[in-house]
Structure formats: structure tokens, C-alpha cells
Coordinates of all heavy atoms in Angstrom, one line a residue:
I12 N 8.5 21.8 9.6 CA 8.6 21.3 10.9 C 8.9 19.8 11.0 O 9.8 19.4 11.8 CB 7.3 21.6 11.7 CG1 7.2 23.1 11.9 CG2 7.3 20.9 13.1 CD1 5.8 23.6 12.5
L13 N 8.3 19.0 10.2 CA 8.5 17.6 10.2 C 10.0 17.3 9.8 O 10.6 16.4 10.4 CB 7.5 16.9 9.3 CG 6.1 16.9 9.7 CD1 5.2 16.2 8.6 CD2 5.9 16.1 11.0
Q14 N 10.5 18.0 8.7 CA 11.9 17.7 8.3 C 12.8 18.1 9.4 O 13.8 17.4 9.7 CB 12.2 18.5 7.0 CG 13.6 18.2 6.5 CD 13.8 16.8 6.1 OE1 13.1 16.3 5.3 NE2 14.8 16.1 6.8
K15 N 12.5 19.2 10.1 CA 13.4 19.6 11.3 C 13.4 18.5 12.3 O 14.5 18.2 12.9 CB 12.9 20.9 11.8 CG 13.8 21.5 12.9 CD 13.2 22.9 13.3 CE 14.1 23.5 14.4 NZ 13.6 24.8 14.9
C16 N 12.3 18.0 12.7 CA 12.2 16.9 13.6 C 13.0 15.7 13.2 O 13.7 15.0 14.0 CB 10.7 16.5 13.9 SG 9.8 17.8 14.8
A17 N 12.8 15.3 11.9 CA 13.6 14.2 11.4 C 15.1 14.4 11.5 O 15.8 13.5 11.8 CB 13.2 14.0 9.9
N18 N 15.5 15.7 11.2 CA 16.9 16.0 11.3 C 17.4 15.9 12.8 O 18.5 15.5 13.0 CB 17.2 17.4 10.8 CG 17.0 17.5 9.3 OD1 17.0 16.5 8.6 ND2 16.8 18.7 8.8
L19 N 16.6 16.2 13.7 CA 17.0 16.1 15.1 C 17.1 14.7 15.6 O 17.9 14.4 16.5 CB 15.9 16.8 16.0 CG 15.9 18.4 15.9 CD1 14.7 18.9 16.7 CD2 17.2 19.0 16.3
E20 N 16.3 13.8 15.0 CA 16.3 12.4 15.4 C 17.6 11.7 15.0 O 18.0 10.7 15.7 CB 15.2 11.6 14.7 CG 13.8 12.0 15.3 CD 13.6 11.6 16.7 OE1 14.1 10.5 17.1 OE2 13.0 12.4 17.5
G21 N 18.3 12.1 14.0 CA 19.6 11.4 13.7 C 19.9 11.6 12.2 O 19.2 12.1 11.4
Q22 N 21.1 11.1 11.9 CA 21.7 11.2 10.6 C 20.9 10.3 9.6 O 20.5 9.2 10.0 CB 23.1 10.9 10.6 CG 24.0 11.8 11.3 CD 24.1 13.2 10.6 OE1 23.7 13.3 9.5 NE2 24.6 14.2 11.3
G23 N 20.8 10.7 8.4 CA 20.3 9.8 7.4 C 18.7 9.8 7.3 O 18.2 9.1 6.5
R24 N 18.1 10.5 8.1 CA 16.6 10.5 8.1 C 16.2 11.6 7.2 O 16.7 12.7 7.2 CB 16.0 10.6 9.5 CG 16.4 9.4 10.3 CD 15.8 9.5 11.7 NE 16.3 8.4 12.5 CZ 15.6 7.9 13.5 NH1 14.5 8.4 13.8 NH2 16.2 6.9 14.2
K25 N 15.1 11.4 6.5 CA 14.6 12.4 5.6 C 13.1 12.3 5.5 O 12.5 11.2 5.7 CB 15.2 12.4 4.2 CG 14.9 11.2 3.4 CD 15.6 11.2 2.1 CE 15.2 10.0 1.3 NZ 15.7 10.1 -0.1
L26 N 12.5 13.4 5.2 CA 11.1 13.4 5.1 C 10.8 13.4 3.6 O 11.4 14.1 2.8 CB 10.5 14.7 5.6 CG 9.0 15.0 5.4 CD1 8.2 14.0 6.2 CD2 8.7 16.4 5.8
C27 N 9.8 12.5 3.2 CA 9.5 12.3 1.8 C 8.0 12.5 1.7 O 7.2 12.0 2.4 CB 9.8 10.9 1.3 SG 11.6 10.6 1.3
V28 N 7.6 13.3 0.7 CA 6.2 13.4 0.3 C 6.0 12.5 -0.9 O 6.6 12.7 -1.9 CB 5.8 14.9 0.0 CG1 4.3 15.0 -0.4 CG2 6.1 15.7 1.2
L29 N 5.1 11.5 -0.8 CA 4.9 10.6 -1.8 C 3.8 10.9 -2.7 O 2.7 11.4 -2.3 CB 4.6 9.2 -1.3 CG 5.8 8.5 -0.5 CD1 5.3 7.2 0.1 CD2 7.0 8.3 -1.4
K30 N 4.0 10.6 -4.0 CA 2.9 10.7 -5.0 C 2.7 9.2 -5.4 O 3.5 8.3 -5.1 CB 3.3 11.5 -6.2 CG 3.4 13.0 -5.8 CD 3.8 13.8 -7.0 CE 3.9 15.3 -6.5 NZ 4.3 16.2 -7.6
E31 N 1.6 9.0 -6.2 CA 1.4 7.6 -6.6 C 2.6 7.1 -7.5 O 3.1 7.8 -8.4 CB 0.1 7.5 -7.5 CG -0.2 6.1 -7.8 CD -1.6 6.0 -8.6 OE1 -2.5 6.7 -8.2 OE2 -1.6 5.3 -9.5
N32 N 3.1 5.9 -7.1 CA 4.2 5.3 -7.8 C 3.8 4.9 -9.2 O 2.8 4.1 -9.4 CB 4.7 4.1 -7.0 CG 6.0 3.6 -7.4 OD1 6.2 3.4 -8.6 ND2 6.9 3.3 -6.5
A33 N 4.5 5.3 -10.2 CA 4.2 4.9 -11.6 C 4.3 3.4 -11.8 O 3.8 2.9 -12.8 CB 5.2 5.6 -12.6
E34 N 5.1 2.7 -10.9 CA 5.2 1.2 -11.1 C 3.9 0.5 -10.8 O 3.7 -0.6 -11.0 CB 6.3 0.7 -10.1 CG 7.7 1.2 -10.6 CD 8.7 1.0 -9.5 OE1 8.5 1.3 -8.4 OE2 9.8 0.4 -9.9
L35 N 2.9 1.3 -10.3 CA 1.6 0.7 -10.0 C 0.7 0.8 -11.2 O -0.4 0.2 -11.2 CB 0.9 1.5 -8.8 CG 1.5 1.2 -7.5 CD1 0.8 2.1 -6.4 CD2 1.4 -0.2 -7.1
D36 N 1.1 1.4 -12.3 CA 0.3 1.4 -13.5 C 0.0 0.0 -14.0 O 0.9 -0.9 -14.1 CB 1.1 2.1 -14.7 CG 1.2 3.6 -14.4 OD1 0.6 4.1 -13.5 OD2 2.0 4.3 -15.2
G37 N -1.3 -0.2 -14.2 CA -1.7 -1.6 -14.6 C -1.9 -2.6 -13.5 O -2.3 -3.7 -13.8
V38 N -1.7 -2.2 -12.3 CA -1.9 -3.0 -11.1 C -3.2 -2.8 -10.5 O -3.5 -1.6 -10.2 CB -0.8 -2.8 -10.0 CG1 -1.0 -3.7 -8.8 CG2 0.6 -3.1 -10.6
K39 N -4.1 -3.8 -10.4 CA -5.4 -3.6 -9.8 C -5.2 -4.1 -8.4 O -5.0 -5.3 -8.1 CB -6.5 -4.5 -10.5 CG -7.8 -4.5 -9.7 CD -9.0 -4.6 -10.5 CE -10.3 -4.6 -9.8 NZ -10.3 -4.1 -8.4
L40 N -5.3 -3.1 -7.5 CA -5.1 -3.4 -6.0 C -6.2 -4.3 -5.5 O -7.4 -4.1 -5.9 CB -4.9 -2.1 -5.3 CG -3.8 -1.2 -5.7 CD1 -3.8 0.1 -4.8 CD2 -2.5 -1.9 -5.6
G41 N -5.8 -5.1 -4.5 CA -6.8 -6.0 -3.8 C -7.7 -5.2 -2.9 O -8.8 -5.7 -2.5
L42 N -7.3 -4.0 -2.5 CA -8.1 -3.2 -1.6 C -8.8 -2.1 -2.3 O -8.1 -1.5 -3.2 CB -7.2 -2.6 -0.4 CG -6.6 -3.6 0.5 CD1 -5.7 -2.9 1.5 CD2 -7.6 -4.5 1.2
E43 N -10.0 -1.8 -2.0 CA -10.8 -0.8 -2.7 C -10.4 0.6 -2.2 O -10.0 0.8 -1.0 CB -12.3 -1.0 -2.5 CG -12.8 -2.3 -3.2 CD -12.7 -2.3 -4.7 OE1 -12.9 -1.2 -5.3 OE2 -12.5 -3.3 -5.3
G44 N -10.7 1.6 -3.0 CA -10.5 3.0 -2.6 C -9.3 3.6 -3.3 O -8.2 3.0 -3.3
S45 N -9.5 4.8 -3.8 CA -8.4 5.5 -4.5 C -7.2 5.7 -3.6 O -6.0 5.8 -4.0 CB -8.9 6.8 -5.1 OG -9.4 7.6 -4.1
H46 N -7.4 5.9 -2.3 CA -6.4 6.2 -1.3 C -5.4 5.0 -1.2 O -4.3 5.1 -0.8 CB -6.9 6.5 0.1 CG -7.7 5.4 0.7 ND1 -9.0 5.1 0.2 CD2 -7.4 4.6 1.7 CE1 -9.5 4.1 0.9 NE2 -8.5 3.8 1.8
Q47 N -5.9 3.8 -1.6 CA -5.0 2.6 -1.4 C -3.8 2.7 -2.4 O -2.8 2.0 -2.2 CB -5.9 1.3 -1.7 CG -6.9 1.1 -0.6 CD -6.4 0.9 0.8 OE1 -5.2 0.8 1.0 NE2 -7.3 0.9 1.8
R48 N -3.9 3.4 -3.5 CA -2.8 3.6 -4.4 C -1.7 4.3 -3.7 O -0.5 4.0 -3.9 CB -3.3 4.2 -5.7 CG -4.3 3.3 -6.4 CD -4.5 3.7 -7.8 NE -3.5 3.2 -8.7 CZ -3.3 1.9 -9.1 NH1 -4.1 1.0 -8.6 NH2 -2.4 1.6 -9.9
I49 N -2.0 5.3 -2.9 CA -1.0 6.0 -2.1 C -0.4 5.1 -1.1 O 0.8 5.1 -0.9 CB -1.5 7.3 -1.5 CG1 -2.0 8.3 -2.6 CG2 -0.5 8.0 -0.6 CD1 -0.8 8.8 -3.5
N50 N -1.3 4.4 -0.4 CA -0.8 3.4 0.6 C 0.1 2.4 0.0 O 1.2 2.0 0.6 CB -2.0 2.7 1.3 CG -2.8 3.6 2.2 OD1 -2.3 4.7 2.5 ND2 -4.0 3.2 2.5
A51 N -0.2 1.9 -1.2 CA 0.6 0.9 -1.9 C 2.0 1.6 -2.3 O 3.0 0.9 -2.2 CB -0.1 0.4 -3.1
S52 N 1.9 2.8 -2.7 CA 3.1 3.5 -3.1 C 4.1 3.7 -1.9 O 5.3 3.5 -2.0 CB 2.8 4.9 -3.6 OG 2.0 4.8 -4.8
L53 N 3.5 3.9 -0.7 CA 4.2 4.0 0.5 C 4.9 2.6 0.8 O 6.1 2.6 1.2 CB 3.4 4.4 1.7 CG 4.0 4.4 3.1 CD1 5.2 5.4 3.1 CD2 3.0 4.8 4.1
A54 N 4.1 1.6 0.7 CA 4.7 0.2 0.9 C 5.9 -0.1 0.0 O 6.9 -0.6 0.5 CB 3.6 -0.8 0.7
I55 N 5.7 0.3 -1.3 CA 6.8 0.1 -2.2 C 8.1 1.0 -1.8 O 9.2 0.5 -1.8 CB 6.4 0.4 -3.6 CG1 5.4 -0.6 -4.1 CG2 7.6 0.5 -4.6 CD1 4.8 -0.3 -5.4
A56 N 7.8 2.2 -1.4 CA 8.9 3.1 -1.0 C 9.6 2.6 0.2 O 10.9 2.6 0.3 CB 8.4 4.5 -0.7
L57 N 8.9 2.0 1.2 CA 9.5 1.5 2.4 C 10.3 0.2 2.0 O 11.4 0.0 2.5 CB 8.4 1.1 3.4 CG 7.8 2.3 4.1 CD1 6.6 1.9 4.9 CD2 8.8 3.1 4.9
C58 N 9.8 -0.6 1.2 CA 10.5 -1.8 0.7 C 11.8 -1.4 0.0 O 12.9 -2.0 0.3 CB 9.7 -2.7 -0.2 SG 8.4 -3.6 0.7
K59 N 11.7 -0.4 -0.8 CA 12.9 0.0 -1.5 C 14.0 0.6 -0.5 O 15.2 0.4 -0.7 CB 12.6 1.1 -2.6 CG 11.9 0.6 -3.8 CD 11.7 1.7 -4.8 CE 11.2 1.3 -6.1 NZ 11.0 2.4 -7.0
A60 N 13.5 1.3 0.5 CA 14.4 1.9 1.5 C 15.1 0.7 2.2 O 16.3 0.8 2.5 CB 13.7 2.8 2.4
I61 N 14.4 -0.3 2.6 CA 15.0 -1.4 3.3 C 16.0 -2.1 2.3 O 17.1 -2.5 2.8 CB 13.9 -2.4 3.8 CG1 13.1 -1.7 4.9 CG2 14.5 -3.7 4.2 CD1 11.8 -2.4 5.3
M62 N 15.6 -2.3 1.1 CA 16.5 -3.0 0.1 C 17.7 -2.2 -0.1 O 18.8 -2.7 -0.2 CB 15.8 -3.2 -1.2 CG 14.6 -4.2 -1.2 SD 13.5 -4.1 -2.6 CE 14.6 -4.3 -4.0
N63 N 17.6 -0.9 -0.1 CA 18.8 0.0 -0.2 C 19.7 -0.1 0.9 O 20.9 -0.1 0.7 CB 18.3 1.5 -0.4 CG 19.4 2.4 -0.9 OD1 20.2 2.0 -1.7 ND2 19.5 3.6 -0.3
T64 N 19.2 -0.2 2.1 CA 20.1 -0.3 3.3 C 20.8 -1.6 3.3 O 21.8 -1.8 3.9 CB 19.3 -0.1 4.6 OG1 18.3 -1.2 4.8 CG2 18.7 1.2 4.7
K65 N 20.2 -2.6 2.6 CA 20.9 -3.9 2.5 C 21.8 -4.0 1.3 O 22.3 -5.1 1.0 CB 19.8 -5.0 2.4 CG 19.0 -5.2 3.7 CD 18.0 -6.3 3.5 CE 17.3 -6.6 4.9 NZ 16.4 -7.8 4.8
G66 N 21.9 -2.9 0.6 CA 22.9 -2.8 -0.5 C 22.3 -3.3 -1.8 O 23.0 -3.5 -2.8
E67 N 21.0 -3.6 -1.8 CA 20.3 -4.0 -3.1 C 20.0 -2.8 -3.9 O 19.8 -1.7 -3.4 CB 19.1 -4.8 -2.8 CG 19.4 -6.1 -2.0 CD 18.2 -7.0 -1.8 OE1 17.2 -6.9 -2.7 OE2 18.1 -7.7 -0.8
N68 N 19.8 -3.0 -5.2 CA 19.5 -1.9 -6.1 C 18.2 -1.2 -5.8 O 17.2 -1.9 -5.5 CB 19.5 -2.5 -7.5 CG 19.4 -1.4 -8.6 OD1 19.0 -0.2 -8.3 ND2 19.9 -1.7 -9.8
K69 N 18.1 0.1 -5.8 CA 16.9 0.8 -5.5 C 15.8 0.6 -6.6 O 14.6 0.7 -6.3 CB 17.1 2.3 -5.3 CG 17.9 2.6 -4.0 CD 18.3 4.0 -3.9 CE 17.2 5.0 -3.8 NZ 17.7 6.4 -3.5
Q70 N 16.2 0.3 -7.8 CA 15.3 0.1 -8.9 C 14.7 -1.3 -8.8 O 15.5 -2.2 -8.6 CB 15.9 0.3 -10.2 CG 16.4 1.8 -10.5 CD 15.2 2.7 -10.4 OE1 14.1 2.4 -11.0 NE2 15.4 3.9 -9.8
L71 N 13.4 -1.4 -8.8 CA 12.9 -2.8 -8.8 C 13.2 -3.5 -10.1 O 12.8 -3.1 -11.1 CB 11.4 -2.7 -8.6 CG 10.9 -2.2 -7.2 CD1 9.3 -2.3 -7.2 CD2 11.4 -3.1 -6.1
N72 N 13.8 -4.7 -10.0 CA 14.0 -5.5 -11.1 C 12.7 -6.2 -11.4 O 11.7 -6.2 -10.7 CB 15.2 -6.4 -11.0 CG 15.0 -7.4 -9.9 OD1 13.9 -7.9 -9.6 ND2 16.1 -7.8 -9.2
V73 N 12.6 -6.9 -12.5 CA 11.4 -7.6 -12.9 C 10.9 -8.6 -11.9 O 9.7 -8.6 -11.6 CB 11.6 -8.3 -14.3 CG1 10.4 -9.2 -14.6 CG2 11.9 -7.3 -15.4
E74 N 11.8 -9.3 -11.3 CA 11.4 -10.3 -10.2 C 10.7 -9.6 -9.1 O 9.6 -10.0 -8.7 CB 12.6 -11.1 -9.8 CG 12.3 -12.1 -8.7 CD 13.5 -12.8 -8.1 OE1 14.6 -12.7 -8.8 OE2 13.4 -13.3 -7.0
Y75 N 11.3 -8.6 -8.5 CA 10.7 -7.8 -7.4 C 9.4 -7.2 -7.8 O 8.4 -7.2 -7.1 CB 11.7 -6.8 -6.9 CG 12.7 -7.3 -6.0 CD1 14.0 -7.0 -6.1 CD2 12.4 -8.2 -4.9 CE1 15.0 -7.5 -5.3 CE2 13.4 -8.7 -4.1 CZ 14.7 -8.3 -4.3 OH 15.7 -8.8 -3.5
K76 N 9.4 -6.6 -9.0 CA 8.2 -5.9 -9.5 C 7.0 -6.9 -9.6 O 5.9 -6.6 -9.2 CB 8.4 -5.2 -10.8 CG 7.2 -4.3 -11.2 CD 7.5 -3.4 -12.4 CE 6.2 -2.6 -12.6 NZ 6.3 -1.8 -13.7
N77 N 7.3 -8.1 -10.1 CA 6.2 -9.1 -10.2 C 5.8 -9.5 -8.8 O 4.6 -9.7 -8.6 CB 6.7 -10.3 -11.0 CG 6.9 -10.0 -12.5 OD1 6.3 -9.0 -13.0 ND2 7.7 -10.8 -13.2
D78 N 6.7 -9.7 -7.9 CA 6.3 -10.1 -6.5 C 5.5 -9.0 -5.9 O 4.5 -9.3 -5.2 CB 7.6 -10.3 -5.7 CG 8.3 -11.6 -6.1 OD1 7.8 -12.4 -6.8 OD2 9.5 -11.7 -5.6
F79 N 5.9 -7.7 -6.0 CA 5.1 -6.6 -5.4 C 3.8 -6.5 -6.0 O 2.8 -6.4 -5.3 CB 5.9 -5.3 -5.6 CG 7.0 -5.0 -4.7 CD1 7.7 -6.1 -4.1 CD2 7.4 -3.8 -4.4 CE1 8.7 -5.8 -3.2 CE2 8.5 -3.5 -3.6 CZ 9.1 -4.5 -3.0
S80 N 3.7 -6.6 -7.4 CA 2.4 -6.5 -8.1 C 1.5 -7.6 -7.6 O 0.3 -7.4 -7.3 CB 2.6 -6.6 -9.6 OG 3.3 -5.5 -10.0
Y81 N 2.0 -8.9 -7.5 CA 1.2 -10.0 -7.1 C 0.6 -9.8 -5.7 O -0.6 -9.9 -5.4 CB 2.0 -11.3 -7.2 CG 1.2 -12.5 -6.7 CD1 0.3 -13.2 -7.6 CD2 1.2 -12.9 -5.4 CE1 -0.4 -14.2 -7.2 CE2 0.4 -14.0 -5.0 CZ -0.4 -14.7 -5.9 OH -1.2 -15.7 -5.5
A82 N 1.5 -9.3 -4.8 CA 1.1 -9.1 -3.4 C 0.1 -8.0 -3.3 O -1.0 -8.2 -2.6 CB 2.3 -8.8 -2.5
L83 N 0.3 -6.9 -4.0 CA -0.7 -5.8 -3.9 C -2.0 -6.1 -4.6 O -3.1 -5.7 -4.1 CB -0.1 -4.6 -4.5 CG 1.1 -4.0 -3.8 CD1 1.8 -2.9 -4.6 CD2 0.7 -3.4 -2.4
E84 N -2.0 -7.0 -5.6 CA -3.3 -7.4 -6.2 C -4.0 -8.4 -5.4 O -5.3 -8.5 -5.5 CB -3.0 -8.0 -7.6 CG -2.5 -7.0 -8.6 CD -2.1 -7.6 -10.0 OE1 -1.8 -8.8 -10.0 OE2 -1.9 -6.8 -10.9
H85 N -3.4 -9.2 -4.6 CA -4.0 -10.2 -3.8 C -4.2 -9.9 -2.3 O -4.7 -10.8 -1.6 CB -3.3 -11.5 -4.0 CG -3.4 -12.1 -5.4 ND1 -2.5 -11.7 -6.4 CD2 -4.3 -12.9 -6.0 CE1 -2.9 -12.3 -7.5 NE2 -3.9 -13.0 -7.3
V86 N -3.8 -8.8 -1.9 CA -4.0 -8.4 -0.5 C -5.5 -8.3 -0.2 O -6.3 -7.9 -1.0 CB -3.2 -7.1 -0.1 CG1 -3.9 -5.9 -0.8 CG2 -3.2 -6.9 1.4
S87 N -5.9 -8.7 1.0 CA -7.2 -8.5 1.4 C -7.3 -8.1 2.9 O -6.3 -8.4 3.7 CB -8.0 -9.8 1.2 OG -7.6 -10.8 2.2
W88 N -8.4 -7.5 3.3 CA -8.5 -7.0 4.6 C -10.0 -7.3 5.0 O -10.9 -6.5 4.8 CB -8.3 -5.5 4.7 CG -8.2 -4.9 6.1 CD1 -8.5 -5.5 7.3 CD2 -7.8 -3.6 6.4 NE1 -8.4 -4.6 8.3 CE2 -7.9 -3.4 7.8 CE3 -7.4 -2.5 5.6 CZ2 -7.6 -2.2 8.4 CZ3 -7.1 -1.4 6.3 CH2 -7.2 -1.2 7.6
P89 N -10.3 -8.6 5.4 CA -11.6 -9.0 5.7 C -12.3 -8.0 6.7 O -11.7 -7.6 7.7 CB -11.5 -10.4 6.3 CG -10.2 -10.9 5.7 CD -9.3 -9.6 5.6
G90 N -13.5 -7.7 6.4 CA -14.3 -6.8 7.3 C -14.0 -5.3 7.0 O -14.6 -4.4 7.6
R91 N -13.2 -5.0 6.0 CA -12.9 -3.6 5.7 C -13.4 -3.4 4.3 O -12.8 -3.9 3.3 CB -11.4 -3.3 5.8 CG -11.0 -1.8 5.5 CD -11.5 -0.9 6.6 NE -11.0 0.4 6.3 CZ -11.8 1.5 6.4 NH1 -13.0 1.5 6.8 NH2 -11.2 2.7 6.2
C92 N -14.4 -2.6 4.1 CA -15.0 -2.3 2.8 C -15.3 -3.7 2.1 O -15.1 -3.8 0.9 CB -14.1 -1.5 1.9 SG -13.8 0.1 2.7
Q93 N -15.8 -4.6 2.8 CA -16.1 -6.0 2.3 C -17.6 -6.1 2.0 O -18.4 -5.7 2.8 CB -15.7 -7.0 3.3 CG -15.9 -8.4 2.8 CD -15.5 -9.5 3.9 OE1 -15.2 -9.2 5.0 NE2 -15.6 -10.7 3.5
V94 N -17.9 -6.7 0.9 CA -19.3 -7.1 0.5 C -19.4 -8.6 0.5 O -18.7 -9.3 -0.1 CB -19.6 -6.5 -0.9 CG1 -21.1 -6.9 -1.3 CG2 -19.3 -5.1 -1.0
V95 N -20.4 -9.0 1.3 CA -20.7 -10.4 1.4 C -22.1 -10.7 0.8 O -23.1 -10.0 1.3 CB -20.7 -10.9 2.9 CG1 -21.1 -12.4 3.1 CG2 -19.3 -10.6 3.5
H96 N -22.1 -11.6 -0.1 CA -23.4 -11.9 -0.8 C -24.0 -13.2 -0.2 O -23.2 -14.2 -0.2 CB -23.2 -12.0 -2.3 CG -22.6 -10.8 -2.9 ND1 -23.4 -9.6 -3.2 CD2 -21.4 -10.5 -3.3 CE1 -22.6 -8.7 -3.7 NE2 -21.4 -9.2 -3.8
D97 N -25.2 -13.1 0.1 CA -25.9 -14.3 0.6 C -26.8 -14.8 -0.4 O -27.9 -14.2 -0.8 CB -26.7 -14.0 1.9 CG -27.3 -15.3 2.5 OD1 -26.7 -16.3 2.6 OD2 -28.5 -15.2 2.9
A98 N -26.5 -16.0 -1.0 CA -27.3 -16.5 -2.2 C -28.7 -16.9 -1.7 O -29.7 -16.7 -2.5 CB -26.6 -17.7 -2.8
E99 N -28.9 -17.4 -0.5 CA -30.2 -17.9 -0.1 C -31.2 -16.7 0.1 O -32.3 -16.8 -0.4 CB -30.0 -18.6 1.3 CG -31.3 -19.2 1.8 CD -31.1 -19.9 3.1 OE1 -30.0 -20.4 3.3 OE2 -32.1 -20.0 3.9
T100 N -30.7 -15.6 0.7 CA -31.6 -14.5 0.9 C -31.5 -13.4 -0.2 O -32.3 -12.5 -0.2 CB -31.3 -13.8 2.3 OG1 -30.0 -13.3 2.3 CG2 -31.6 -14.8 3.4
K101 N -30.5 -13.6 -1.0 CA -30.2 -12.6 -2.0 C -29.9 -11.2 -1.5 O -30.1 -10.2 -2.1 CB -31.3 -12.5 -3.1 CG -31.5 -13.8 -3.8 CD -32.5 -13.7 -5.0 CE -32.8 -14.9 -5.7 NZ -32.2 -16.1 -5.7
L102 N -29.4 -11.2 -0.3 CA -28.9 -10.0 0.4 C -27.4 -9.8 0.2 O -26.7 -10.7 0.1 CB -29.2 -10.0 1.9 CG -30.7 -10.0 2.3 CD1 -30.8 -10.2 3.8 CD2 -31.3 -8.7 1.9
S103 N -27.1 -8.5 0.1 CA -25.7 -8.1 0.1 C -25.4 -7.3 1.3 O -26.1 -6.3 1.6 CB -25.4 -7.2 -1.2 OG -25.5 -8.0 -2.3
L104 N -24.4 -7.8 2.1 CA -24.1 -7.2 3.3 C -22.8 -6.4 3.1 O -21.8 -6.9 2.7 CB -23.9 -8.2 4.5 CG -25.1 -9.2 4.7 CD1 -24.7 -10.2 5.7 CD2 -26.3 -8.4 5.1
W105 N -22.8 -5.1 3.5 CA -21.6 -4.3 3.4 C -21.0 -4.2 4.7 O -21.6 -3.6 5.6 CB -22.0 -2.9 2.8 CG -22.5 -3.0 1.4 CD1 -23.7 -3.5 1.0 CD2 -21.8 -2.7 0.2 NE1 -23.8 -3.4 -0.4 CE2 -22.7 -2.9 -0.9 CE3 -20.5 -2.1 0.0 CZ2 -22.3 -2.7 -2.2 CZ3 -20.2 -1.9 -1.3 CH2 -21.0 -2.2 -2.4
L106 N -19.8 -4.7 4.9 CA -19.1 -4.7 6.2 C -18.0 -3.7 6.1 O -17.2 -3.7 5.2 CB -18.5 -6.1 6.5 CG -19.5 -7.3 6.4 CD1 -18.8 -8.6 6.6 CD2 -20.6 -7.2 7.3
D107 N -17.9 -3.0 7.2 CA -16.7 -2.0 7.3 C -16.4 -1.8 8.8 O -17.0 -1.1 9.5 CB -17.1 -0.7 6.6 CG -15.8 0.2 6.5 OD1 -14.7 -0.3 6.7 OD2 -16.0 1.4 6.1
G108 N -15.4 -2.5 9.2 CA -14.8 -2.3 10.5 C -13.9 -1.1 10.5 O -12.7 -1.3 10.6
A109 N -14.4 0.0 10.4 CA -13.6 1.3 10.2 C -12.7 1.5 11.4 O -13.0 1.1 12.5 CB -14.6 2.5 10.0
H110 N -11.6 2.1 11.2 CA -10.7 2.4 12.2 C -10.5 3.9 12.5 O -9.7 4.3 13.4 CB -9.3 1.8 11.8 CG -8.7 2.4 10.6 ND1 -9.2 2.0 9.3 CD2 -7.7 3.3 10.4 CE1 -8.5 2.6 8.4 NE2 -7.6 3.4 9.0
T111 N -11.3 4.7 11.9 CA -11.3 6.2 12.2 C -12.7 6.6 12.3 O -13.7 6.0 11.7 CB -10.5 7.0 11.2 OG1 -11.3 6.9 10.0 CG2 -9.1 6.5 11.0
G112 N -13.0 7.8 13.0 CA -14.3 8.3 13.0 C -14.8 8.8 11.7 O -16.0 8.7 11.4
E113 N -13.9 9.2 10.8 CA -14.3 9.6 9.5 C -14.8 8.5 8.6 O -15.5 8.7 7.7 CB -13.1 10.4 8.7 CG -12.7 11.7 9.4 CD -11.8 11.5 10.6 OE1 -11.1 10.5 10.7 OE2 -11.9 12.4 11.5
S114 N -14.3 7.3 8.9 CA -14.7 6.1 8.1 C -16.1 5.7 8.4 O -16.7 5.1 7.7 CB -13.7 5.0 8.4 OG -12.4 5.3 8.0

């Protein structure tokens, strides 16, 4: 159904089911949670799609791969699965400004 809707929207659109991108091997993501590897894979796929429309090579060269790895390793989302340690009280506060009911 989703592919059919994408086809109705216009030429050149396609539905992709993503798996974890092998280019993430060895990359420690800045955001916690195993689902973040799929999110990072989506981010890489979207960047590649944009690069492709601009006529750039779809394969990430070393420069781009290093930039992507650095960005994904250093990304932060304050207040989302964040632990704040208070040295004075020795308390650890777990903050999570969840965005879904399941969270």
C-alpha cells in the first residue's frame, strides 16, 4: 500500500525498508538505545539521497564518512534519556522528555 501511494505521488519516489547501515560498524552513537542505529541509518540514507540528486557519488568517500561518524558520535538530545549526576547530594537524576505514550 505504501509503495502504491508513493507511486501516485509522482515519478522517482520509492519506498525503502532500511536495515542497519554497515557503515555504522565501529561508530558509538551519541544517543542511547538500539533503535538509534536504525535512526542513524535513515539519516545516512537521506543524506545519500540528497547527495545523489546533486550529482554526488552515492558511496560515502572517507571525508564524508568521517564527517557522518563524528556527527553521529557527538549528537546529543538534552532531556531525552539523560542522566544528570549531582555531586553534592550524590543523586543521579534520570530525565526523559518522552515524545510518545510508549516512551
